[in-house]
Amino acid sequence: MSGAAIEIVYRVRASAAAIGRRAEALLLEQTVELPRSALRWEFVRSSIVGRVAGTARLAEGLYRVTIEQPEVTAGPDPAQLLNVIFGNSSLQPDVELEDVRLTDGLARMLGGPRFGIAGLRKAAGVHGRALTATALKPMGLSAAQMGEMCRAFALGGIDLIKDDHGLADHPFCPFGERVRACLAATEDAARSTGRRALYAPNLIGTPSAVLRQAEEARHLGAKAVVLSPMVLGLPFVAELASGLGMAVLAHPAFVGGQGIAPEVLLGTLFPLYGADAVIYPNAGGRFRYSRETCAAIAHALRNPRHPVAPAMPVPAGGIKPERVNEVLEAHGADTMLLMGGGLIEPAEETLVARCRQFAESVQDFPYAR
Amino acid sequence: MSGAAIEIVYRVRASAAAIGRRAEALLLEQTVELPRSALRWEFVRSSIVGRVAGTARLAEGLYRVTIEQPEVTAGPDPAQLLNVIFGNSSLQPDVELEDVRLTDGLARMLGGPRFGIAGLRKAAGVHGRALTATALKPMGLSAAQMGEMCRAFALGGIDLIKDDHGLADHPFCPFGERVRACLAATEDAARSTGRRALYAPNLIGTPSAVLRQAEEARHLGAKAVVLSPMVLGLPFVAELASGLGMAVLAHPAFVGGQGIAPEVLLGTLFPLYGADAVIYPNAGGRFRYSRETCAAIAHALRNPRHPVAPAMPVPAGGIKPERVNEVLEAHGADTMLLMGGGLIEPAEETLVARCRQFAESVQDFPYAR
């Protein structure tokens, strides 16, 4: 093998007797899909076939296999790169993707976060503390009702107000009407608060629909959007992020088990493919990522090992007002706390007050100074 | 709840004491993402919130939960539909998607297979027997070499010759050159055999790249293409299939564990989103689907419960010449057998002969008459 290589680390279940053969098969599965004995072409053997760079025993019957694949196998193409990393092997239950390190060239092709932590802070006008975020829901409210809720959130001092990821271009709440109403609400609230909240509409649909929504959102003045990479397709997100001009909050809908470690998919791949901030289910909520997994996702987002900007961790899902300090202690200041249901649950009339309490608890947190 | 409903069936792990609450939470998670007590809007309660239509105990701590979601929650939008079916719940390891039944309206929005079994048979000119297929590989051959291999496959009588799903627009084998060489090879071989093999190039990349490739393939005369829906994104596949004019072979790369039963993802959703034929890892090869799972995928493809055309099952992965009869016995005539490595492994000079043997073994199979 010659030239730059993609390094991919798998966890593989195999016996001590079989692991050598299993690692070789895994290496070949991602690119040539033929046994080595069938590779009678010199160029294929020298330039396409990678190598098993290491095999380490983790436990009885469990190995860490590190594979290097030549950069050229991935295209350069954001879609084909997924095949090289975890295409066919995603169908093999004895294999899990544990880590991936792209070449600098491929990382630059993908582009990474265009705003990142710094750009998001600048857009929100927030420095030296964690950011607050919330979600407009439930599905079923009209655009005017969403605008009203957005106004309450903004008056309460929330930094970023996002559409729930299930808000589409529904007939009862058309995309353009909702974006207009919510942007107007943040502008209106800013006259009282002196600071304008970011509103991030959810872009969802087929590529042509999403491109239309992006154009409309930008035209109306949105500075950030929500995308669900596993619903839309990571390659589309990469293409979209490249000319978007708005910050990308990635949502983990449809992520599934996948056989990919969450810190790799959400912490490494999502930002490489263009996410400026990544929403993930926080430990202790109604989803099941452990504290360690959440810490690993946040660490990977903030400390990219590729030449791309750091991205903002956004723990979410079941965060309640009484848990804010705990989440801040675990996550630190370079975090955006997303509290959705925890704010909306109570009676409507207390919404602004509850947002204010949330905003103040984050502003006052000692770590954040 | 009023109006047409999407029926979604989950397997849920919960205690007998908790299952009622768990089913209610699952219902709300996919759409409103708020507890019922917070839903103070009449329209949301009456038109957005679906219902738990049934809960059946399967075993100790394991339940089948059937949920009906109003059609309107899904958009109509091929992307938002995925959120309603398995968006947030894909992140919950106590839940698996077991079945889904769309409304006729949503199935028509997606469109289903535009060619289906009948259209593929017509395009291939094959009736009354199973079809044969093979894959051009390994990655690393030049366009001219791919053309030579394609010619050998076509001379050997293979019905459909597809690009391996990892063949992208690589610098060493540019897309347009490869498509030209392979289509010319099938045309050339047809002068000897009297019947032209179908060649299906692999479309892969960001949406704009894939759209360019589709345009070029169509312009050059391709009648079928390969797409990997989980790499490209299902909504993009739905959009692409709608005006493509070429049959879609769907490849399962990047499918992962997902928490979705394979017969639902590959057998129901892939064809609804436009796949005319679906490649899946056959039991007994180097992937791990059971015989029962393969049979369930094939059954779902051939017998759609939605108003869409039947799609062609394409068992693949480790099928060897000596296993052809076994695979045909298990699958019957409305099947496309994909043998890749099993044909290529031996020496180059025997390739045509081995293809001929494969083609004849399928033609001669009694079931197929």
Side-chain angles (χ1 to χ4, degrees):
Chain A
M1 201 180 89
S2 61
I6 308 163
E7 187 183 282
I8 314 163
V9 184
Y10 303 94
R11 269 170 188 257
V12 179
R13 286 194 299 280
S15 67
I19 185 63
R21 212 166 52 239
R22 186 67 192 89
E24 161 89 352
L26 187 53
L27 166 73
L28 300 172
E29 187 71 58
Q30 306 309 105
T31 56
V32 292
E33 274 196 74
L34 282 175
R36 201 176 285 263
S37 59
L39 301 176
R40 54 183 180 267
W41 306 269
E42 168 55 24
F43 176 73
V44 174
R45 284 196 306 270
S46 66
S47 299
I48 300 298
V49 174
R51 70 184 191 102
V52 177
T55 303
R57 184 178 177 282
L58 298 175
E60 179 66 33
L62 183 66
Y63 292 83
R64 173 174 292 135
V65 175
T66 303
I67 285 178
E68 291 178 7
Q69 299 283 14
E71 182 181 39
V72 72
T73 60
D77 171 353
Q80 168 58 11
L81 175 59
L82 297 177
N83 276 333
V84 174
I85 295 172
F86 204 54
N88 272 359
S89 57
S90 79
L91 291 155
Q92 300 179 317
D94 59 344
V95 182
E96 283 174 36
L97 179 62
E98 188 181 86
D99 201 5
V100 63
R101 174 136 194 179
L102 304 186
T103 62
D104 287 359
L106 287 170
R108 275 191 290 267
M109 168 193 75
L110 294 175
R114 302 313 198 279
F115 286 69
I117 292 178
L120 264 174
R121 283 196 176 283
K122 194 175 165 196
V126 175
H127 302 276
R129 63 162 173 87
L131 283 82
T132 53
T134 189
L136 292 163
K137 52 183 169 183
M139 177 195 302
L141 302 198
S142 68
Q145 287 173 311
M146 289 292 182
E148 278 314 299
M149 188 177 279
C150 188
R151 181 188 323 267
F153 287 152
L155 285 172
I158 302 294
D159 298 315
L160 184 143
I161 300 154
K162 65 174 267 296
D163 281 353
D164 206 15
H165 69 285
L167 302 191
D169 191 14
H170 285 112
F172 48 78
C173 186
F175 178 82
E177 282 184 35
R178 183 171 75 245
V179 177
R180 266 187 200 84
C182 292
L183 286 172
T186 59
E187 197 175 341
D188 191 48
R191 284 187 211 109
S192 306
T193 64
R195 197 169 60 85
R196 186 164 175 182
L198 289 174
Y199 162 64
N202 182 45
L203 311 187
I204 188 166
T206 62
S208 67
V210 168
L211 289 169
R212 278 197 306 273
Q213 291 164 13
E215 182 54 41
E216 184 163 16
R218 189 170 34 231
H219 173 74
L220 293 172
K223 305 283 186 241
V225 299
V226 180
L227 300 174
S228 298
M230 298 308 280
V231 171
L232 299 180
L234 279 163
F236 178 36
V237 170
E239 182 159 277
L240 193 61
S242 86
L244 193 63
M246 300 180 278
V248 172
L249 277 80
H251 190 282
F254 207 55
V255 156
Q258 267 294 359
I260 307 182
E263 60 270 32
V264 176
L265 185 56
L266 302 181
T268 301
L269 292 175
F270 273 24
L272 276 167
Y273 278 77
D276 297 291
V278 175
I279 301 165
Y280 56 89
N282 194 42
R286 61 192 190 281
F287 302 96
R288 302 290 185 82
Y289 287 1
S290 67
R291 287 180 74 95
E292 293 68 32
T293 295
C294 290
I297 295 172
H299 182 82
L301 290 169
R302 292 193 194 108
N303 305 281
R305 295 172 309 156
H306 299 96
V308 298
M312 182 74 87
V314 190
I319 297 181
K320 304 278 178 191
E322 60 273 21
R323 290 192 61 215
V324 165
N325 277 10
E326 171 204 328
V327 178
L328 284 171
E329 266 160 32
H331 282 84
D334 265 344
T335 304
M336 182 183 285
L337 260 69
L338 175 56
M339 194 191 304
L343 292 172
I344 297 174
E345 272 181 57
E348 192 159 12
E349 51 275 24
T350 65
L351 196 52
V352 175
R354 285 178 69 90
C355 289
R356 209 163 271 154
Q357 189 192 353
F358 175 35
E360 282 166 8
S361 68
V362 170
Q363 274 160 14
D364 295 345
F365 189 73
Y367 188 100
R369 296 188 185 280
Chain B
M1 200 181 89
S2 61
I6 307 164
E7 186 183 284
I8 314 164
V9 183
Y10 303 94
R11 269 170 188 258
V12 179
R13 286 194 298 280
S15 67
I19 185 62
R21 210 167 53 239
R22 186 67 191 90
E24 161 90 350
L26 187 55
L27 166 73
L28 300 171
E29 186 71 58
Q30 306 309 105
T31 55
V32 291
E33 276 197 73
L34 282 175
R36 202 177 284 263
S37 59
L39 301 176
R40 54 182 181 269
W41 306 268
E42 167 55 25
F43 176 74
V44 174
R45 286 197 305 270
S46 65
S47 299
I48 301 298
V49 174
R51 70 183 192 104
V52 177
T55 302
R57 184 179 177 281
L58 297 175
E60 179 65 33
L62 184 66
Y63 292 83
R64 173 174 292 135
V65 174
T66 302
I67 284 178
E68 290 178 6
Q69 300 283 13
E71 181 181 39
V72 72
T73 60
D77 170 354
Q80 168 58 10
L81 175 59
L82 297 177
N83 276 333
V84 174
I85 295 172
F86 203 54
N88 272 359
S89 57
S90 79
L91 291 155
Q92 301 179 316
D94 58 344
V95 182
E96 282 173 39
L97 179 63
E98 188 180 84
D99 201 5
V100 62
R101 174 134 195 181
L102 304 186
T103 62
D104 287 0
L106 288 170
R108 274 191 290 266
M109 168 193 74
L110 293 174
R114 302 315 197 278
F115 286 70
I117 293 178
L120 264 175
R121 285 196 174 283
K122 194 174 165 196
V126 175
H127 301 275
R129 64 162 172 85
L131 282 82
T132 55
T134 188
L136 292 163
K137 53 181 167 182
M139 178 195 301
L141 302 197
S142 67
Q145 287 173 312
M146 289 292 183
E148 278 314 299
M149 189 177 278
C150 188
R151 182 190 321 270
F153 287 152
L155 285 172
I158 302 294
D159 298 315
L160 184 144
I161 300 155
K162 66 175 266 296
D163 280 353
D164 206 14
H165 69 285
L167 302 190
D169 192 14
H170 286 112
F172 48 77
C173 187
F175 179 82
E177 283 184 34
R178 183 171 74 246
V179 177
R180 266 186 199 85
C182 292
L183 287 172
T186 58
E187 197 174 341
D188 190 49
R191 284 186 213 110
S192 304
T193 64
R195 198 169 60 86
R196 187 164 174 182
L198 289 175
Y199 162 64
N202 181 45
L203 311 188
I204 187 165
T206 61
S208 67
V210 168
L211 288 170
R212 278 196 306 274
Q213 291 163 14
E215 182 54 41
E216 185 163 15
R218 188 170 35 229
H219 173 74
L220 292 171
K223 305 281 185 244
V225 299
V226 180
L227 300 174
S228 298
M230 298 309 280
V231 171
L232 300 180
L234 279 163
F236 178 36
V237 170
E239 182 159 278
L240 193 61
S242 85
L244 194 63
M246 299 179 280
V248 172
L249 277 80
H251 190 281
F254 208 55
V255 156
Q258 269 291 1
I260 308 181
E263 60 271 29
V264 176
L265 185 57
L266 302 181
T268 301
L269 291 175
F270 273 24
L272 276 167
Y273 278 77
D276 297 291
V278 175
I279 300 165
Y280 56 89
N282 195 42
R286 63 194 188 281
F287 303 94
R288 302 290 184 83
Y289 286 0
S290 67
R291 287 180 74 95
E292 293 68 33
T293 296
C294 291
I297 294 171
H299 183 81
L301 291 168
R302 292 194 194 107
N303 304 282
R305 293 173 308 157
H306 298 96
V308 298
M312 182 74 87
V314 190
I319 297 181
K320 305 280 179 191
E322 60 272 21
R323 290 191 61 215
V324 165
N325 277 10
E326 171 204 328
V327 179
L328 284 171
E329 266 160 31
H331 282 83
D334 265 344
T335 304
M336 182 183 286
L337 261 68
L338 174 55
M339 194 190 306
L343 292 171
I344 298 174
E345 274 182 56
E348 191 160 11
E349 52 275 22
T350 64
L351 197 52
V352 175
R354 284 178 69 90
C355 290
R356 209 162 272 154
Q357 191 193 352
F358 175 35
E360 283 167 5
S361 68
V362 170
Q363 274 161 13
D364 295 347
F365 188 75
Y367 188 99
R369 293 183 189 285

